[in-house]
Amino acid sequence: VKSHVLHHCATLMRDQYGNYVVQHLLEHGDAADIATIVATVRGRVAELSRHKFASNVVEKCLVYGSAEERSALVDEVLESSTGGAVSGGASGGGAFPGAA
């Protein structure tokens, strides 16, 4: 079951009920499960953050992802909001205090 959830997490995270399944896997899965979900979110953080259900998954990625994964997600948000002009990474706080 877990492999099917991971394979379809891009669709599930946008679903009214499926997003809860993906969130549960972020909360209770192992590092490889979390990395797979974060990899699915990467490159689409701005889009998914505006989605009613997927935004919950993005938030959980920022809570349960590794320090490197969280930093990459925050950097992506900062780059999209500044047109790519980010220096110093996410360690300075900003859009997601406590996430870096």
Side-chain angles (χ1 to χ4, degrees), residues 5-98:
V5 170
L6 291 171
H7 182 72
H8 297 286
C9 73
T11 302
L12 289 170
M13 70 178 66
R14 291 180 175 95
D15 183 77
Q16 179 179 4
Y17 302 108
N19 80 89
Y20 290 109
V21 176
V22 178
Q23 288 182 64
H24 182 83
L25 199 50
L26 282 165
E27 294 170 9
H28 303 287
D30 59 29
D33 300 334
I34 295 167
T36 299
I37 296 168
V38 171
T40 303
V41 169
R42 286 191 64 184
R44 304 179 232 184
V45 175
E47 168 202 345
L48 295 173
S49 294
R50 291 187 300 268
H51 190 277
K52 181 175 183 175
F53 306 120
S55 62
N56 299 315
V57 173
V58 174
E59 182 179 352
K60 295 290 184 180
C61 286
L62 291 168
V63 172
Y64 293 102
S66 69
E68 294 82 17
E69 291 165 336
R70 292 191 313 263
S71 180
L73 293 173
V74 172
D75 284 347
E76 185 179 329
V77 170
L78 294 174
E79 288 174 8
S80 69
S81 68
T82 61
V86 174
S87 62
S91 59
F96 300 100

